[in-house]
Amino acid sequence: AIEQHGAHMPLGVDALLSTKMAELTAESMDDALVGPSIEFGYKSQQRSGGGAHIIGTFGFDADTMIGTVRTLVREFHRHGVRRIVFVNGHYENYQFVYEGVDLALRDLAGEGADRPTVMMMSYWDFVTPQVIEELYPDGFPGWDVEHGGVMETSIMLEHFPELVHMDRLIDHPAAELPLYDVLPAVASLTPDSGCLSSGRASSAEKG
């Protein structure tokens, strides 16, 4: 997604990190190719990305996101690809990626074509409890409020240090958001930083 990640990081964090995860994985395989990133994702939501009301955040509507994924699966299939992985880097994307894949496979089945195997994942789901304890010795705030926090900032420091400006980081406690959504978004619920937790404890070593 193109989404603000606080004053200390660029708008393209989600695409940069998911692409890097795909590249690192592909390097360990014999026959893997990394396709171009989908730079835009589903619109940012206040309880997981700060919200679409914050300057610098741009998002697709659901039907555009679903249609993009649906088309990509069909196009990769048309070119002979039979194993596809979507590596998600934006919390809000997942169900729309799932829907796009499901509809594409339904399309292909209806046409009598063989169907590819498609895997969908969010890279942070592979962070083990042991690593979480090491990254967050004072307690894990949860992936939903990790936006712009320790994990994303640390991985950026490890792989893209020139794009991180720790001197601009705004330090604050994890956001305490309600257990429901309100539209139009109530801007005062999002911390002024745009982040939902602090990245102050980040380091390249943690990344």
Side-chain angles (χ1 to χ4, degrees):
I2 302 299
E3 182 182 44
Q4 63 77 31
H5 281 77
H8 64 296
M9 290 198 292
L11 303 180
V13 166
D14 294 340
L16 287 167
L17 295 186
S18 55
T19 302
K20 175 56 69 173
M21 297 302 160
E23 290 171 347
L24 292 172
T25 303
E27 288 173 5
S28 68
M29 303 171 68
D30 294 329
D31 59 351
L33 298 174
V34 179
S37 302
I38 306 173
E39 295 293 334
F40 286 86
Y42 183 67
K43 64 192 71 166
S44 178
Q45 296 181 3
Q46 191 166 31
R47 291 194 293 138
S48 50
H53 62 285
I54 301 177
I55 296 297
T57 296
F58 303 85
F60 281 157
D61 290 337
D63 56 349
T64 304
M65 190 71 205
I66 292 167
T68 299
V69 173
R70 186 178 191 173
T71 298
L72 285 173
V73 172
R74 291 180 58 92
E75 284 295 288
F76 281 127
H77 177 271
R78 184 171 66 85
H79 285 279
V81 179
R82 295 297 178 264
R83 290 185 297 168
I84 302 168
V85 182
F86 283 92
V87 181
N88 179 40
H90 177 58
Y91 192 85
E92 291 90 331
N93 281 343
Y94 194 87
Q95 295 304 326
F96 304 108
V97 173
Y98 188 104
E99 180 71 0
V101 170
D102 185 60
L103 292 177
L105 296 182
R106 190 184 305 176
D107 293 341
L108 294 170
E111 296 166 8
D114 61 320
R115 292 181 294 173
T117 299
V118 185
M119 179 183 293
M120 295 150 285
M121 64 177 68
S122 298
Y123 70 82
W124 52 84
D125 288 334
F126 292 84
V127 180
T128 65
Q130 292 78 14
V131 171
I132 288 176
E133 287 183 12
E134 186 175 346
L135 289 177
Y136 304 94
D138 297 325
F140 179 49
W143 291 130
D144 52 341
V145 295
E146 163 54 35
H147 174 70
V150 170
M151 184 197 69
E152 287 187 314
T153 303
S154 292
I155 301 176
M156 287 292 292
L157 284 169
E158 168 67 12
H159 295 290
F160 305 99
E162 71 282 3
L163 299 179
V164 183
H165 302 276
M166 292 298 286
D167 58 316
R168 301 179 189 172
L169 185 144
I170 301 172
D171 192 18
H172 57 76
E176 295 184 7
L177 297 167
L179 300 177
Y180 52 82
D181 296 296
V182 176
L183 292 176
V186 180
S188 61
L189 293 176
T190 304
D192 291 340
S193 70
C195 299
L196 299 183
S197 59
S198 175
R200 178 61 64 194
S202 303
S203 67
E205 180 183 8
K206 288 183 176 181

